[in-house]
Amino acid sequence: ACLTQFVIIENNAAVFSRDLPIGGNYITEELREKLKLSFSEAEGLKIRCFKEKHLPNDTLEVIDQSCQRVARDIQQTLNLYLSHSPDTTLSQIYLCGGTSRVLPMRKWIQELTGIQTNYLNPFEQITHQKSGWDEGTLETYQAICPVALGLATRSRGD
């Protein structure tokens, strides 16, 4: 909620990592401040925008501007990396975490970076029982599960 972790992976190894001091709380605070809401009301609006496309225009405008700001910070970090690695070509950006699902985060990151941007789906690579899960629930979990699933699959090294 307080930061965005930016990682570049090449040949299955992290070659660059940076924590950006902006995250989902930034969007909530912008909604709170500009629409004169409580924190919980603003957080509720941010979460509702995952599923609802019919929010008031002033709400959508604040969310759009906030996502654009986060995307600009990601673009600047990407440009920093590429300035030190000019021969690198990036083919894909994957988003995960709760804030990645805020509309229009993905659109702004793809537009500003010019790189195909998708949601990371950890369930593509692991076997799981599909019955009993509706698509909306799986989409929500795929956004917030990658770190937990990665930690759970690590070898203890005993």
Side-chain angles (χ1 to χ4, degrees), residues 17-79:
S17 178
R18 172 120 341 137
D19 288 339
L20 308 177
I22 191 169
N25 280 351
Y26 170 74
I27 298 168
T28 302
E29 285 299 320
E30 287 292 295
L31 285 165
R32 188 188 64 73
E33 183 180 303
K34 291 184 176 164
L35 301 178
K36 309 294 186 229
L37 303 171
S38 70
F39 183 87
S40 61
E41 290 171 323
E43 184 74 7
L45 274 177
K46 180 182 79 176
I47 291 169
R48 280 192 10 229
C49 89
F50 297 174
K51 298 176 184 171
E52 296 179 28
K53 295 178 180 158
H54 304 293
L55 293 173
N57 284 340
D58 57 345
T59 301
L60 293 173
E61 185 176 311
V62 172
I63 290 171
D64 189 65
Q65 290 171 355
S66 300
C67 288
Q68 189 176 17
R69 163 75 198 284
V70 174
R72 277 195 312 268
D73 284 8
I74 290 170
Q75 176 197 25
Q76 289 172 349
T77 304
L78 179 62
N79 289 345

Side-chain angles (χ1 to χ4, degrees), residues 68 71 75 105-115 117:
Q68 189 176 17
Q75 176 197 25
M105 185 66 73
R106 186 178 128 199
K107 174 193 83 133
W108 276 116
I109 292 171
Q110 183 167 306
E111 190 171 306
L112 291 173
T113 64
I115 300 171
T117 303

Side-chain angles (χ1 to χ4, degrees), residues 3-7 17-20 22 147:
L3 61 87
T4 297
Q5 188 175 37
F6 180 89
V7 181
S17 178
R18 172 120 341 137
D19 288 339
L20 308 177
I22 191 169
V147 173

Side-chain angles (χ1 to χ4, degrees), residues 45-156:
L45 274 177
K46 180 182 79 176
I47 291 169
R48 280 192 10 229
C49 89
F50 297 174
K51 298 176 184 171
E52 296 179 28
K53 295 178 180 158
H54 304 293
L55 293 173
N57 284 340
D58 57 345
T59 301
L60 293 173
E61 185 176 311
V62 172
I63 290 171
D64 189 65
Q65 290 171 355
S66 300
C67 288
Q68 189 176 17
R69 163 75 198 284
V70 174
R72 277 195 312 268
D73 284 8
I74 290 170
Q75 176 197 25
Q76 289 172 349
T77 304
L78 179 62
N79 289 345
L80 172 70
Y81 173 76
L82 292 174
S83 71
H84 295 291
S85 303
D87 296 332
T88 299
T89 301
L90 300 177
S91 60
Q92 193 78 236
I93 292 175
Y94 290 100
L95 305 177
C96 63
T99 302
S100 72
R101 303 305 287 186
V102 174
L103 300 173
M105 185 66 73
R106 186 178 128 199
K107 174 193 83 133
W108 276 116
I109 292 171
Q110 183 167 306
E111 190 171 306
L112 291 173
T113 64
I115 300 171
Q116 180 68 37
T117 303
N118 291 305
Y119 298 111
L120 181 64
N121 182 358
F123 301 124
E124 285 180 355
Q125 301 299 318
I126 62 172
T127 304
H128 63 286
Q129 187 175 11
K130 294 182 181 179
S131 64
W133 295 94
D134 65 72
E135 279 303 308
T137 301
L138 273 178
E139 281 185 25
T140 299
Y141 284 139
Q142 81 184 29
I144 59 176
C145 283
V147 173
L149 287 172
L151 292 172
T153 59
R154 277 189 180 171
S155 153
R156 288 183 43 190

